[in-house]
Amino acid sequence: SGSRHGSKGVILPSTCELDRGARVAERLNLTTGGPTEEFEVEARSRGYRFIAGLDEAGRGPLAGPVIAAAVLLPRRCRLPGLNDSKQIAESERNRLFAEIVHRATGVGIGAATEAEIDRLNILQASRLAMRRALDALPVRPDFLLLDAVVLPGLSIPQRAIIKGDGLSCSIAAASIVAKVTRDRLMVEYHRWYPHYNFAEHKGYGTPEHLHQLRTHGPCAIHRRSFSPVQQVLAQDRRQDDPPVTPV
């Protein structure tokens, strides 16, 4: 291995190299209107064959799990309309989800529960979900592209790309799969806990969700370590405390 390889096989490009790659891909993004295969082509030029993009959905919500997806796309896989999942309407995400699952060489999905989020913190839980997504792949990748995060301790070389879900096709595909999977799960949770209207806001801290949280208190899938939920729990405890009797 050369100087560009860190411990555990993780590729650690210099800041300048990473910035150059991101700038090239971003220019192509502006030209084509979406993410490109620039990073995948570069990895293949170094001899890697099975390149997986990873991304997660659900780091910000107050309720529900964080979901990660790992996607291996075949070479020159054209997916019209592919982009960062946050930039695409729900109907288009659903269409792309079906096409990605149909055309991908492999798709893996992993989750970390709200209890794991509370125990580990959201960053570590997101990494756990990504590792589980990798384990769920039918093909073991030999190179990883990730959206602005690294997975410590892996033997698989990897590269973190700032705003990668808008620059890399593989990461964008993973972002679609993770987002659609999580949204559908939150619709299921809505049937269990209809008071919170999870089907609409998917657990994010919208004014409606915060109002329902204050009105009904947290349910089983709320993240107790997140500040708005903690505030409601603290208020409930204060209300449950017996009044102090004057001496």
Side-chain angles (χ1 to χ4, degrees), residues 158-178:
Q158 57 188 285
R159 185 171 189 176
I161 304 166
I162 304 300
K163 299 182 180 178
D165 50 2
L167 298 174
S168 158
C169 286
S170 300
I171 299 176
S175 79
I176 295 288
V177 172

Side-chain angles (χ1 to χ4, degrees), residues 59-164:
R59 287 181 69 165
L62 309 180
V66 59
I67 301 290
V71 175
L72 290 102
L73 295 176
R75 291 171 184 255
R76 294 179 290 279
C77 181
R78 299 288 181 253
L79 294 165
L82 181 67
N83 207 334
D84 169 9
S85 63
K86 298 182 291 296
Q87 307 300 321
I88 302 175
E90 182 177 7
S91 60
E92 184 70 356
R93 285 198 301 267
N94 288 330
R95 181 192 68 78
L96 282 163
F97 175 90
E99 189 169 356
I100 291 163
V101 170
H102 176 68
R103 298 181 61 189
T105 305
V107 173
I109 296 170
T113 67
E114 52 281 343
E116 289 172 323
I117 292 167
D118 289 338
R119 187 175 79 249
L120 297 172
N121 76 45
I122 187 59
L123 174 59
Q124 297 306 324
S126 298
R127 286 173 166 158
L128 176 60
M130 288 182 175
R131 288 174 179 272
R132 289 171 174 167
L134 282 174
D135 289 341
L137 281 170
V139 179
R140 181 169 175 80
D142 58 8
F143 193 84
L144 307 179
L145 296 171
L146 304 97
D147 185 19
V149 68
V150 295
L151 298 179
L154 277 189
S155 60
I156 307 172
Q158 57 188 285
R159 185 171 189 176
I161 304 166
I162 304 300
K163 299 182 180 178

Side-chain angles (χ1 to χ4, degrees), residues 214-227:
R214 289 189 294 266
T215 301
H216 302 288
C219 71
I221 67 166
H222 276 100
R223 302 173 181 179
R224 267 61 180 170
S225 58
F226 278 44
S227 180

